[in-house]
Amino acid sequence: MSSNLGIIISREVRERVVKKSFILTTLLTPIFMVLLSIAPVLIMEFSSPSDKTMAVIDESGFIFPELVKNSKDIDYITLVPTEVPLDSALSDERYDAVLLVNSDVEENPQNVMLYTHESGSMQVEGMLNSTISKAVEDKRLQKYNIENISEILDEISVDSNIRTLRITDDGTEKDTSSMTSFMLGLAMTFILYMFLLIYGQMVMTSIIEEKNNRVLELVVSSVKPLQLMLGKIIGVGLVAVIQIVLWCILMCVVSIFVMPLIMPEGMTEEIALMNSGNLDVATSAFDPDMLRAAAMFTSVGYIINLFMYLTLFLIGGFLFYAAIFAAIGSSVDNVQDASQLQTFAVIPILLAMVFGLSIGNDPNSPLAFWLSMIPFTSPMVMLSRIPFDIPSWQIWVSLLILYTSFVGMTWIAAKIYRVGIFMYGKKPTIKDLIRWARYK
């Protein structure tokens, strides 16, 4: 039995690992995820408004100076209301837009109109709203006749940045960041979500293709259906594990050789001070969250630890869901019929993804705890909680439940599989699947 199972597993692994698509995906996916993470910054950089000329008819007399003071990518030209009517300004092709500020803007800040010849720009409108609001606020403050009131407000303005220290079991203090932990958990949850869907459906489609080609009928003459199903599941699962291990090695190489080269000067020293608990945040030249994130990605041990948990939950989650996909694939003749039945596997994965995204609000809540124990949601929910340094016993209990559930799910799926691979021409109903699972 072990010999037959090994042959099936090795065949599934070789068939996928040697493909160019696997190699390209393994190499390009990390690059794609890095680009995806910096995409918002690049979009904001390249989507800044082009240089424009805006005519300003300022009946209040105090808005135009503030606009000029805060001008960026816009050339403001003031027009005297009594000399240049609004209609003339709108028909002048030299102006891309015309801003009309009415005389009562101090009492009615909404009485401002922007006329454009093209569709509006959210960035330009936001900048104008911010500048006008600040100008009106300053004008209102002047009525209180408090000398240097703007300077006083600037002096008392505070931007608090709380430093969170977690007390570990041995009494030591450890710097933590909820935002960094949330983003890291989000990345791990998304990776697992992607793997469960892609590789789970890969098991299903492979079974459907072989069933249509009548290959399964020949194979089961020398191999038990349970062996065949397990061989496919484990073989495809090993492909996913190989990809994760390669990503881990790649991340470690980047951490050791690339990160020290691209980090700003002085950051390495401050990371060392932060890790030892001697960093003075008030005098630090870098944002604390940036330091914590850099400390994570420059620690090979931390990276290996995260990928270890990712691999364990990937294996458990994949085995659990792949058994469902295998049962679905064996019971239908084509992908179209499978698309309806696979809803029972896809919806829990989607719900787990949604729950994993929301867990960052309170990773220690009762809801977060129980969702990380239920096998349908535990892989992704627990991965979103792990960066928050939850108690290790919860992780291992979740893994124990997940792997135990895999055994039960495989037992049910195997019963459906052994009947479904010989069924043709009829799309099974839920009652049929239940009846197949109850066959002895």
Side-chain angles (χ1 to χ4, degrees):
M1 176 176 178
S2 60
S3 176
N4 292 335
L5 185 62
I7 293 173
I8 297 171
I9 293 173
S10 61
R11 182 249 181 190
E12 295 292 330
V13 173
R14 286 197 309 270
E15 183 182 350
R16 290 167 175 83
V17 172
V18 298
K19 287 184 177 180
K20 292 181 180 179
S21 58
F22 175 82
I23 300 173
L24 290 175
T25 303
T26 302
L27 295 177
L28 296 180
T29 299
I31 299 174
F32 172 76
M33 295 191 68
V34 171
L35 292 177
L36 191 63
S37 64
I38 65 175
V41 179
L42 296 176
I43 292 173
M44 291 297 295
E45 181 67 24
F46 290 106
S47 64
S48 58
S50 56
D51 293 339
K52 294 182 181 296
T53 301
M54 182 179 296
V56 180
I57 302 177
D58 183 13
E59 297 179 354
S60 68
F62 67 90
I63 296 295
F64 179 76
E66 293 298 323
L67 292 173
V68 174
K69 187 188 302 182
N70 297 284
S71 64
K72 182 181 179 182
D73 301 318
I74 297 178
D75 183 17
Y76 294 103
I77 297 177
T78 183
L79 301 178
V80 180
T82 57
E83 297 180 0
V84 183
L86 177 61
D87 293 340
S88 299
L90 293 175
S91 60
D92 196 329
E93 296 181 356
R94 293 177 299 171
Y95 309 131
D96 298 296
V98 178
L99 181 69
L100 175 61
V101 182
N102 289 283
S103 56
D104 63 342
V105 67
E106 185 178 348
E107 292 76 23
N108 186 13
Q110 286 75 31
N111 199 5
V112 179
M113 274 74 74
L114 176 64
Y115 300 89
T116 64
H117 297 290
E118 300 175 348
S119 57
S121 167
M122 290 179 59
Q123 191 168 354
V124 171
E125 292 174 7
M127 181 173 55
L128 291 174
N129 282 325
S130 176
T131 303
I132 293 172
S133 297
K134 181 67 168 58
V136 172
E137 290 174 1
D138 292 341
K139 189 70 174 178
R140 290 178 175 180
L141 284 173
Q142 292 175 8
K143 292 183 177 180
Y144 290 90
N145 295 323
I146 301 176
E147 187 177 358
N148 300 325
I149 188 170
S150 298
E151 289 78 2
I152 294 173
L153 291 175
D154 291 337
E155 289 179 4
I156 65 176
S157 177
V158 176
D159 185 13
S160 177
N161 195 338
I162 299 176
R163 183 185 180 191
T164 305
L165 298 172
R166 179 177 175 270
I167 308 300
T168 59
D169 295 335
D170 57 4
T172 58
E173 298 178 351
K174 181 179 179 180
D175 267 280
T176 62
S177 169
S178 297
M179 179 55 67
T180 305
S181 299
F182 172 75
M183 295 303 295
L184 194 57
L186 177 62
M188 295 173 64
T189 302
F190 179 76
I191 291 173
L192 184 58
Y193 165 79
M194 180 179 65
F195 271 67
L196 290 182
L197 281 182
I198 293 176
Y199 285 98
Q201 291 180 340
M202 192 179 294
V203 171
M204 182 186 70
T205 55
S206 175
I207 293 174
I208 293 175
E209 290 174 0
E210 294 182 356
K211 182 179 177 180
N212 287 333
N213 297 332
R214 304 284 177 162
V215 174
L216 290 180
E217 295 181 4
L218 297 176
V219 175
V220 294
S221 62
S222 57
V223 178
K224 293 181 179 180
L226 177 60
Q227 291 179 259
L228 184 58
M229 189 187 77
L230 283 178
K232 281 191 169 294
I233 292 174
I234 296 174
V236 176
L238 281 176
V239 177
V241 171
I242 291 172
Q243 199 163 40
I244 287 293
V245 171
L246 291 176
W247 284 355
C248 180
I249 295 173
L250 184 61
M251 286 290 295
C252 290
V253 171
V254 171
S255 175
I256 296 172
F257 299 105
V258 179
M259 288 295 293
L261 298 177
I262 64 176
M263 285 195 303
E265 185 179 356
M267 179 175 281
T268 304
E269 291 76 11
E270 293 203 8
I271 289 175
L273 290 173
M274 185 182 68
N275 291 334
S276 62
N278 298 319
L279 176 66
D280 185 359
V281 178
T283 60
S284 175
F286 302 97
D287 180 74
D289 285 335
M290 183 186 296
L291 283 177
R292 296 184 189 103
M296 290 178 180
F297 289 109
T298 54
S299 173
V300 176
Y302 187 78
I303 292 173
I304 293 175
N305 187 59
L306 283 182
F307 271 93
M308 179 193 71
Y309 285 127
L310 177 59
T311 303
L312 289 175
F313 279 100
L314 168 65
I315 295 173
F318 173 78
L319 293 177
F320 181 82
Y321 277 104
I324 301 176
F325 279 111
I328 294 171
S330 67
S331 61
V332 296
D333 298 334
N334 53 70
V335 178
Q336 289 75 20
D337 292 341
S339 61
Q340 298 179 3
L341 290 176
Q342 69 175 330
T343 304
F344 296 99
V346 173
I347 287 181
I349 296 176
L350 291 174
L351 289 176
M353 178 69 178
V354 173
F355 286 131
L357 297 179
S358 62
I359 288 305
N361 295 327
D362 187 3
N364 297 305
S365 66
L367 177 63
F369 172 80
W370 289 111
L371 287 175
S372 61
M373 296 298 162
I374 300 172
F376 285 96
T377 56
S378 64
M380 281 173 281
V381 174
M382 183 57 80
L383 281 180
S384 68
R385 296 181 65 210
I386 286 176
F388 289 93
D389 288 330
I390 62 173
S392 58
W393 69 266
Q394 295 185 17
I395 301 174
W396 296 111
V397 170
S398 177
L399 283 170
L400 177 62
I401 296 174
L402 180 61
Y403 280 81
T404 304
S405 301
F406 153 68
V407 176
M409 184 60 68
T410 302
W411 180 74
I412 296 173
K415 287 192 167 188
I416 298 174
Y417 185 89
R418 67 179 182 178
V419 178
I421 56 177
F422 298 109
M423 295 294 180
Y424 295 94
K426 178 187 176 183
K427 184 175 68 174
T429 62
I430 301 300
K431 290 183 178 180
D432 292 330
L433 296 179
I434 295 174
R435 188 174 69 254
W436 295 352
R438 297 175 64 179
Y439 283 160
K440 294 183 180 179

